[in-house]
């Protein structure tokens, strides 16, 4: 999670000269290295050293050239399937708590992903622009180095087997991967600018949710008052945004992300359990992934709980 960020160095590969129109974006995308991806959205393309689907890359290019971040913007940046849905619900509830309660919140009839715009799709691919007075929350799966400079300055086919998906993930060829590089970009930036970037771990948030929601609210500039704490406002938000509650809301059981994007809201809710990977990975898979993680992250003093 981050507020307006400091400038980063410019991209070092073939996208240094940035295009300005969708047509020129698509021409560049057509020349990028490609690999088979996890899903049927087409091939993954290597853009600025990360693997993305072409429609996300086009949105990223549009954002890099045309998106103007405001000093009050709050960006929720995450690797896909790392707790994004939960984080969106929590931050939305914190920021809008003076406007809605648990009986009137838009989360009752809109999924968390529809309550916060996704930078590389909503603002760029759909042409949406923030309006005066709109919420300062914006989500993105883009890696740190691919965020717009203005932020830094201020129907599916059958899924592939777990073994195939695991092999691609380990190679770094997954949505917005390599995962380790994605995480490291924000980790390093959070060490350099802790007042601008709050680095969160899913396991920590699951273990001490109340503490981290309070910390997130303070970081975003929406701290809870002592009266709110005494009245149980933090706990109320945490309980409403729990996996059990959100996954059982009708909008998240039957709704869809968008008319032109055939993704059902229920696909954003799996189990929400820390350590559930043990029910799917073999011992060899776990050891292999642990070895890669230690190799990639160990020297940067970044580790994750062994659960």
């Amino acid at each position: 999670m981050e507020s307006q960020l400091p400038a980063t160095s410019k991209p070092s590969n073939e996208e240094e000269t940035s295009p300005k129109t969708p047509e020129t974006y698509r021409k560049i995308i057509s020349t990028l290295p490609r690999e088979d991806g996890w899903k049927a959205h087409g091939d993954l393309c290597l853009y600025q050293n990360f693997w993305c689907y072409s429609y996300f890359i086009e949105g990223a290019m549009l954002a890099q050239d045309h998106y103007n971040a405001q000093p009050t913007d709050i960006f929720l940046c995450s690797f896909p399937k790392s707790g994004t849905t939960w984080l969106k619900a929590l931050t939305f509830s914190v920021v809008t708590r003076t406007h809605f309660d648990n009986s009137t919140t838009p989360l009752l009839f809109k999924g968390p992903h529809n309550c916060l715009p996704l930078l590389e799709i909503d603002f760029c691919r759909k042409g949406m622009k923030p309006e005066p007075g709109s919420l300062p929350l914006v989500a993105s799966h883009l890696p740190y180095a691919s965020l717009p400079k203005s932020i830094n300055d201020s129907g599916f086919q059958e899924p592939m087997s777990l073994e195939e998906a695991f092999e691609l993930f380990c190679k770094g060829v997954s949505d917005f991967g390599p995962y380790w590089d994605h995480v490291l970009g924000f980790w390093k930036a959070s060490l350099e600018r802790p007042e601008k970037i709050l680095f969160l771990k899913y396991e920590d948030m699951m273990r001490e949710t109340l503490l981290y929601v309070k910390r997130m609210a303070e970081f975003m500039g929406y701290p809870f008052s002592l009266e709110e704490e005494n009245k149980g406002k933090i706990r109320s938000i945490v309980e409403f945004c729990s996996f059990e509650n959100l996954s059982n809301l009708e909008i998240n059981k039957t709704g869809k992300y968008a008319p032109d994007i055939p993704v059902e809201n229920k696909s954003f809710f799996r189990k929400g359990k820390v350590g559930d990977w043990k029910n799917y990975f073999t011992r060899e898979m776990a050891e292999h992934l642990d070895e890669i993680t230690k190799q990639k992250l160990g020297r940067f003093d970044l580790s994750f709980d062994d659960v």
Side-chain angles (χ1 to χ4, degrees), residues 136-179:
L137 298 170
V138 182
S140 178
H141 286 315
L142 294 178
Y144 182 75
S146 295
L147 290 172
K149 189 175 184 296
S150 65
I151 298 175
N152 295 332
D153 289 341
S154 82
F156 298 108
Q157 296 175 354
E158 287 297 316
M160 67 175 59
S161 69
L162 175 61
E163 290 73 21
E164 291 177 290
F166 180 81
E167 183 178 350
L168 285 172
F169 183 85
C170 291
K171 289 170 56 180
V173 185
S174 61
D175 302 12
F176 298 95
Y179 167 78

Side-chain angles (χ1 to χ4, degrees), residues 57-96:
I57 297 175
E58 185 178 336
M61 288 178 168
L62 278 162
Q64 289 166 354
D65 285 337
H66 301 293
Y67 185 81
N68 293 314
Q70 302 302 309
T72 55
D73 283 348
I74 301 168
F75 284 80
L76 278 66
C77 303
S78 61
F79 195 81
K81 307 304 293 182
S82 62
T84 308
T85 307
W86 186 33
L87 185 62
K88 285 184 177 182
L90 285 170
T91 52
F92 181 83
S93 296
V94 168
V95 171
T96 64

Side-chain angles (χ1 to χ4, degrees), residues 74-282:
I74 301 168
F75 284 80
L76 278 66
C77 303
S78 61
F79 195 81
K81 307 304 293 182
S82 62
T84 308
T85 307
W86 186 33
L87 185 62
K88 285 184 177 182
L90 285 170
T91 52
F92 181 83
S93 296
V94 168
V95 171
T96 64
R97 68 182 187 273
T98 60
H99 303 284
F100 309 110
D101 58 27
N102 291 353
S103 65
T104 60
T105 175
L107 285 166
L108 292 170
F109 54 86
K110 294 199 299 184
H113 292 281
N114 292 109
C115 289
L116 274 69
L118 185 65
L119 176 66
E120 51 269 29
I121 290 185
D122 295 310
F123 282 140
C124 301
R125 291 295 303 273
K126 296 182 180 179
M128 292 171 55
K129 296 185 181 297
E131 298 178 356
S134 61
L135 286 178
L137 298 170
V138 182
S140 178
H141 286 315
L142 294 178
Y144 182 75
S146 295
L147 290 172
K149 189 175 184 296
S150 65
I151 298 175
N152 295 332
D153 289 341
S154 82
F156 298 108
Q157 296 175 354
E158 287 297 316
M160 67 175 59
S161 69
L162 175 61
E163 290 73 21
E164 291 177 290
F166 180 81
E167 183 178 350
L168 285 172
F169 183 85
C170 291
K171 289 170 56 180
V173 185
S174 61
D175 302 12
F176 298 95
Y179 167 78
W180 303 274
D181 296 340
H182 194 292
V183 171
L184 273 176
F186 288 100
W187 171 248
K188 291 177 180 178
S190 72
L191 297 178
E192 296 169 358
R193 302 277 287 183
E195 77 284 2
K196 291 294 184 182
I197 301 176
L198 178 63
F199 190 93
L200 299 171
K201 296 180 181 180
Y202 183 80
E203 293 81 3
D204 291 345
M205 290 185 63
M206 286 290 287
R207 184 169 50 246
E208 299 182 273
T209 307
L210 291 172
L211 171 65
Y212 278 95
V213 170
K214 182 178 179 179
R215 184 177 298 177
M216 284 160 45
E218 294 171 351
F219 178 81
M220 294 188 295
Y222 293 82
F224 290 96
S225 66
L226 183 59
E227 181 182 5
E228 285 181 311
E229 289 193 49
N230 291 336
K231 289 184 176 180
K233 187 62 177 179
I234 302 178
R235 184 172 297 279
S236 176
I237 287 176
V238 168
E239 291 176 352
F240 181 85
C241 296
S242 68
F243 180 91
E244 291 74 15
N245 185 64
L246 287 180
S247 63
N248 282 299
L249 294 178
E250 190 62 27
I251 183 62
N252 295 323
K253 290 195 292 185
T254 61
K256 292 186 177 181
Y257 176 70
D260 59 335
I261 301 178
V263 177
E264 296 181 332
N265 286 344
K266 64 182 180 182
S267 66
F268 296 115
F269 298 86
R270 199 179 72 83
K271 290 185 179 180
K273 301 293 184 182
V274 172
D276 187 56
W277 60 269
K278 293 180 180 178
N279 296 318
Y280 302 90
F281 281 19
T282 64

